[in-house]
Amino acid sequence: MSTPEPLRPASTVEQLADLLRARILDGDLAPGRRLVERELVETYDVARHTLRAALRRLEVEGLVRVEPNRGASVAVLEPDDLAALFALRLALEREAAHLALVRGGGRLPPAVHATARDLDRIANRRTASWKEVAAAHHRVHEALVAAAGAPRIERAYAALTTELDLFLSQLRPVWTRERLGPDHLALVADIEHDGPDVLREHMAVALRALHAGGGEHQDG
């Protein structure tokens, strides 16, 4: 058996992309914000070509948009983008919830309930960062999809991760953290009581909040 090669340290480009990605998803770099090369080069003490390579990686992920003669900016999910994303998300989560209920005799597995309780705990902890809250939120929906026991649905849902993370960063200004836990505890209970169609309204609330620019302060 051959000896595996040691892992190489992450390149400067990878490290910079990781740092910028974290700032975008944590809301520190807001959707639509221009990413000025001179400022970022000075902030991170990197060469201009290193910064551009990192931005290209984030552009491929859909987190950054680079326009000729205008430079880079944090991506913004436009209304049409959000509608398409939510249509696909609803189709996947609704079918996953249906399959999970069939498998569980009308009940969702304990893991789904546990992630909702965990979100409630984290969202109400003032010291928790937005990144921690967003990750806990993602785990609830991820657990719901996993409960279906359908690997293809899971893979399709996983492909939406970056866009969903970007959506959460965009929702942050119109999102009341304190309601996250109760909303998702209620969602899990409502799915078991009323069926997977309740996901439609749960997701529609987030779209209305974004379109209203803060008129509704609830979760997606």
Side-chain angles (χ1 to χ4, degrees):
M1 182 176 177
S2 61
T3 303
E5 295 182 10
L7 296 175
R8 290 176 295 178
S11 71
T12 303
V13 172
E14 290 171 334
Q15 293 179 55
L16 181 57
D18 288 345
L19 288 169
L20 293 173
R21 184 187 301 106
R23 290 185 65 189
I24 291 170
L25 297 181
D26 202 33
D28 184 36
L29 294 174
R33 175 168 169 172
R34 288 189 61 230
L35 300 172
V36 181
E37 283 192 2
R38 177 178 50 78
E39 293 178 359
L40 293 174
V41 163
E42 293 176 357
T43 297
Y44 293 104
D45 191 23
V46 296
R48 195 172 292 267
H49 68 83
T50 298
L51 172 64
R52 289 176 178 173
L55 292 176
R56 283 196 295 271
R57 292 196 179 195
L58 298 178
E59 183 183 22
V60 170
E61 295 177 18
L63 294 177
V64 165
R65 290 182 181 166
V66 180
E67 300 177 79
N69 303 318
R70 297 191 64 182
S73 61
V74 179
V76 176
L77 290 172
E78 303 294 346
D80 287 348
D81 299 322
L82 287 166
L85 173 62
F86 271 59
L88 180 53
R89 180 187 171 194
L90 176 62
L92 293 172
E93 287 197 35
R94 186 192 176 285
E95 181 61 18
H98 168 72
L99 293 174
L101 291 172
V102 171
R103 294 182 73 198
R107 293 278 296 173
L108 296 174
V112 177
H113 291 268
T115 55
R117 290 193 299 270
D118 192 48
L119 172 59
D120 186 41
R121 177 181 58 80
I122 292 173
N124 282 287
R125 196 178 73 219
R126 286 298 175 186
T127 56
S129 68
W130 178 262
K131 185 177 180 179
E132 290 177 289
V133 174
H137 169 272
H138 184 72
R139 286 194 295 271
V140 177
H141 291 274
E142 191 175 54
L144 179 62
V145 170
R152 289 194 177 189
I153 293 179
E154 285 190 67
R155 288 196 295 270
Y157 194 79
L160 303 178
T161 296
T162 299
E163 284 185 293
L164 290 175
D165 287 342
L166 183 61
F167 152 72
L168 286 174
S169 71
Q170 196 164 314
L171 185 64
R172 184 180 184 182
V174 295
W175 192 339
T176 302
R177 277 175 55 147
E178 290 77 9
R179 298 196 63 169
L180 279 177
D183 283 351
H184 282 78
L185 290 169
L187 174 65
V188 171
D190 289 346
I191 289 173
E192 291 184 333
H193 186 267
D194 299 318
D197 282 341
V198 299
L199 282 159
R200 186 180 303 277
E201 178 60 18
H202 176 78
M203 295 184 190
V205 167
L207 285 179
R208 292 199 296 268
L210 284 173
H211 292 161
E216 294 189 53
H217 297 273
Q218 292 189 41
D219 144 69

